[in-house]
Structure formats: structure tokens, C-alpha cells
Amino acid sequence: MDIQTKLVHNQWQIDTQTGAVSVPIHHASTFHQFDFDTFGKYDYSRSGNPTREALEETIAELEGGVSGFAFASGMAAISTAFLLLSKGDHVLITDDVYGGTYRIITDVLSRFGIEHTFVDMTDLDAVARHIRPNTKVIYMETPSNPLLKITDIRGVVKLAKAHGCLTFLDNTFATPLLQRPLDLGVDVVLHSATKFLAGHSDVIAGLAVVKDERLAKQLRKLQYSFGAVLGVQDAWLVLRGLKTLHVRLEHSSRSAMQLAQFLHRHPKVAHVYYPGLSHHEGHVIHREQARGFGAVLSFELEDEQAVRTFVQHAHIPIFAVSLGAVESILSYPAKMSHAAMPKAERLRRGITDGLLRISVGLEAMDDLMADFEQALSYV
Ligand SMILES: *Cc1c(COP(=O)(O)O)cnc(C)c1O
């Protein structure tokens, strides 16, 4: 069955007890045990809850995994996955990793004796060179933020397997509709479900999915030990969002492609970063490992003043952090996601003062394009 059909018709479509066509929200924190000796499937909601389980099984199915885990945020999912590591282990991590992941690796895990090295993950030779005997995890994010850099997933997996390390991949930008890392040999897929999966800028949530039973067991234990589980209302919101993921992403990706082409031709735009453009570094690799180019792109204007003018005159997109929603979201990495990074370091990574990121929403394409056109005319 196509993933599009699975999104609406899965085992959670109809509640077997009542026939309800929406997953019931089970607020119970604890569950009565009918038998003194044999406890039922659920005992306490930190370790298992039917509403959360519906989401966990749905994402596992979409990603082609055996088990999914829902967390209170994308960062809770990522942080809990890192708890698979022990003191003395080393993580090789992409240098354009999400800011929150950068923080947990550099500020928190370092205090627990977990080492790390940042590497340009698009350069397989560099990845190979930096693997150490104690490297336990290679951490990828592709397409990455905000320059949409593409990592060769199969290439990194091959290196990891040769050295006995696990691979983690943050699949937030692509979603399982466009990219299924577990099929390519990745061990742990991570999501900020806050973004495309939930899709309506109204919930913070995170997910992890694995294909290996032993890893699933370890992660389940970490989930209820650490306890950063997703609440049932929020689990329901993500389930609700998932039902329309396909149509949302299809519309937004199509618009993103048109917008990217428009910006690419525009004289006031110095550069466009979008994996769908044939000049984009990684375009070919992305096409081989994913089914589409997604709804996020970045573009470069001359300087901060040009960005300021553009943002003042762009009326349709909201100006905010985050992405993957029904409304288009315009972000300014230099002052938002990468504000904490020293300027020289930020510039070295190509995140200039003129760079803007747009996550394309569900507005009519002509309206969005006209809005961009008039805003650019003031620049
Ligand atoms: C937003 C985001 C996260 C963090 O997720 P939260 O739900 O905000 O905790 C992680 N990775 C990527 C790529 C993101 O965009």
C-alpha cells in the first residue's frame, strides 16, 4: 500500500471498542490490573499509553521501522537517543547540525565524558578520516539547515558499518514521505514532529524510530527511564497532522520549486540553496536517496540591510523561527537559529548576514510569488 493511503488507513483508523474514527485520547496516568498475577499491556503512562502508542506505531510504519517512540520535543527525542552512549564514547557529527543538537553535544554531553568531532558530512573522505576507535555514533542531518546541504546517506552508513558504529539521522526536513533512512541502513531516525509531521505550528513534539529489535528495547527503556514522553493531547495533534502530510508536503514542495526558480532568476538574489535546483551541490545524491526536494529553501540577498527591507515588505510569510507549517515561515538564521554562534564561525559556514530561509506553506503560489516580487522591489 502506498504511504499516502497508509497515512489515512492504518490500524488506528477505527477504534475497535467504539467504532470512533479518531484515536481516543486516553488521559489515564495509570491502568487498573484485572488480574493479580498477570498485568495488562499498560500499567503507567510514562511506559505506555494507547494514544501515544497509536502515534508511535504510525511513525514506525511510515519510516519502515519496528518501533517508534514519541517524546515531548524533537530535542527530547534526540537527547534520549544520545543516552544510548556511555562515558568515553565519541560522536562524529555534521557541522551544520541543528542548533539545539549542537548545544546538547557541546554543552551537556561533554560534561558526561562523551566526546565529539564536527565534520563536513558531505565529504566522505573527511568522515572516514575522523572516525576513531571509540566512535559509536555518526550523526547526520540531510537536507541540512539552513544551507540544505546533502549527505550521501549510503556512503556514511557504509563507513559506519565498517567501523561498527551506529548512524543517527535527523529526518525533520524530508519526512518519511520523501526520505526513508532506515531503508538505506540508518539505525536511528529522529524527528522534530513540531515541523512537517504535525504541520500546523500548534504543538512541540519529537519522534525516534528504529528497525533493530535490540535497539528498540534499549530505546524503550531509555524513554521510560528518562521520562520525556509526549502528552496524549499532543500525540493526538501529531496524528491529526499526519493524515494530511501528503497533500501539504506535495503542495508546499511544488511551490518551493517554483519559488526557488523565481529567486534564482532574480537579479537581487545572489544565491539560492534548494536541492531541487540542478546546480545545487548534492542535487544528484539527493535525487538518488529521496523522493522529492521538500518545502524549505534559503536565498541570499546583498547584506543585512537588504534583508531588513525585504522582511519589512513581505506580508504573507510570518517572520519566525520554525518551519514545516501551513503558513509560510521566513527565518533569519544570523539572528535566529545561529545567533549564538560566533560571527566568524557563522560566516565560515556560509551563513551570511544576507541569508534568509523560507519554509513554504499552503498559500496560493501566485500570491506568494507576487508578495516576494513586490518585497524584492524595495531591496
Ligand atoms: C526544530 C528542529 C529540531 C528540534 O525540535 P523541537 O521539536 O523544537 O525540540 C531538531 N532538528 C531539526 C532539523 C529541527 O528543525
Side-chain angles (χ1 to χ4, degrees):
M1 205 185 277
D2 190 89
I3 205 163
Q4 180 179 359
T5 311
K6 277 193 201 166
L7 280 168
V8 249
H9 293 285
N10 54 48
Q11 59 159 318
W12 300 96
Q13 179 203 6
I14 294 167
D15 178 44
T16 49
Q17 297 247 306
T18 61
V21 293
S22 163
V23 172
I25 300 178
H26 289 282
H27 268 292
S29 58
T30 189
F31 297 82
H32 175 67
Q33 304 305 326
F34 290 93
D35 188 288
F36 185 82
D37 293 307
T38 321
F39 283 10
K41 182 173 177 189
Y42 307 104
D43 59 10
Y44 186 61
S45 276
R46 175 157 37 75
S47 48
N49 173 286
T51 310
R52 195 174 81 229
E53 187 185 15
L55 171 59
E56 294 178 329
E57 293 201 351
T58 302
I59 191 64
E61 183 173 12
L62 292 177
E63 286 285 4
V66 297
S67 294
F69 303 93
F71 296 91
S73 66
M75 279 322 303
I78 292 164
S79 306
T80 305
F82 275 133
L83 297 181
L84 288 164
L85 296 169
S86 302
K87 186 177 172 188
D89 288 348
H90 172 251
V91 182
L92 193 54
I93 188 159
T94 179
D95 62 13
D96 50 0
V97 72
Y98 177 75
T101 312
Y102 178 87
R103 195 177 308 120
I104 188 102
I105 275 280
T106 55
D107 281 5
V108 182
L109 295 180
S110 55
R111 290 193 284 106
F112 292 84
I114 293 168
E115 301 162 10
H116 63 267
T117 306
F118 287 102
V119 67
D120 176 0
M121 209 50 81
T122 65
D123 179 353
L124 285 179
D125 293 334
V127 176
R129 264 201 317 278
H130 287 93
I131 296 176
R132 299 191 201 157
N134 62 337
T135 303
K136 288 288 157 62
V137 166
I138 305 184
Y139 190 102
M140 293 171 261
E141 206 175 298
T142 180
S144 72
N145 181 37
L147 298 178
L148 292 302
K149 285 201 207 164
I150 304 301
T151 292
D152 176 353
I153 302 174
R154 289 186 188 89
V156 171
V157 164
K158 200 168 157 202
L159 285 171
K161 288 209 189 304
H163 290 84
C165 0
L166 293 175
T167 42
F168 290 7
L169 192 146
D170 184 332
N171 204 26
T172 299
F173 272 41
T175 85
L177 279 192
L178 304 183
Q179 181 168 277
R180 297 226 309 178
L182 296 175
D183 293 349
L184 306 174
V186 167
D187 296 295
V188 182
V189 172
L190 298 158
H191 281 285
S192 170
T194 310
K195 316 291 166 58
F196 291 101
L197 302 185
H200 294 72
S201 301
D202 54 11
V203 64
I204 299 279
L207 297 165
V209 190
V210 296
K211 203 174 181 174
D212 175 77
E213 294 282 2
R214 208 174 54 91
L215 262 181
K217 227 173 130 184
Q218 289 174 315
L219 212 50
R220 181 165 301 111
K221 185 169 149 188
L222 288 169
Q223 185 193 33
Y224 69 69
S225 301
F226 196 68
V229 294
L230 187 63
V232 290
Q233 297 273 4
D234 292 346
W236 189 90
L237 279 170
V238 179
L239 277 164
R240 146 85 90 107
L242 277 172
K243 292 185 189 184
T244 55
L245 175 61
H246 188 274
V247 278
R248 286 187 286 111
L249 198 58
E250 195 168 280
H251 177 100
S252 294
S253 300
R254 201 178 327 115
S255 300
M257 180 63 116
Q258 280 184 42
L259 188 62
Q261 285 165 344
F262 164 77
L263 292 171
H264 178 56
R265 285 190 304 266
H266 202 285
K268 285 177 183 161
V269 177
H271 194 81
V272 180
Y273 299 89
Y274 183 62
L277 296 177
S278 56
H279 70 258
H280 188 79
E281 211 182 315
H283 169 75
V284 175
I285 293 170
H286 185 78
R287 253 189 10 206
E288 283 165 5
Q289 65 191 16
R291 292 212 283 179
F293 302 112
V296 182
L297 60 118
S298 293
F299 60 100
E300 194 161 334
L301 300 179
E302 194 182 348
D303 52 18
E304 181 176 332
Q305 188 49 46
V307 167
R308 195 180 289 273
T309 306
F310 179 81
V311 171
Q312 266 162 9
H313 291 91
H315 305 304
I316 289 182
I318 63 161
F319 184 53
V321 297
S322 200
L323 58 111
V326 291
E327 63 279 344
S328 291
I329 303 177
L330 192 59
S331 310
Y332 185 39
K335 287 199 190 296
M336 291 177 176
S337 55
H338 292 72
M341 191 175 275
K343 185 165 177 178
E345 180 67 9
R346 175 164 64 72
L347 293 179
R348 194 184 64 75
R349 292 174 193 224
I351 302 160
T352 63
D353 293 341
L355 190 78
L356 273 166
R357 188 190 73 194
I358 175 91
S359 163
V360 180
L362 299 183
E363 300 89 353
M365 191 51 218
D366 290 348
D367 291 341
L368 193 62
M369 208 96 100
D371 191 40
F372 267 61
E373 176 118 60
Q374 64 79 27
L376 280 169
S377 74
Y378 291 93
V379 171

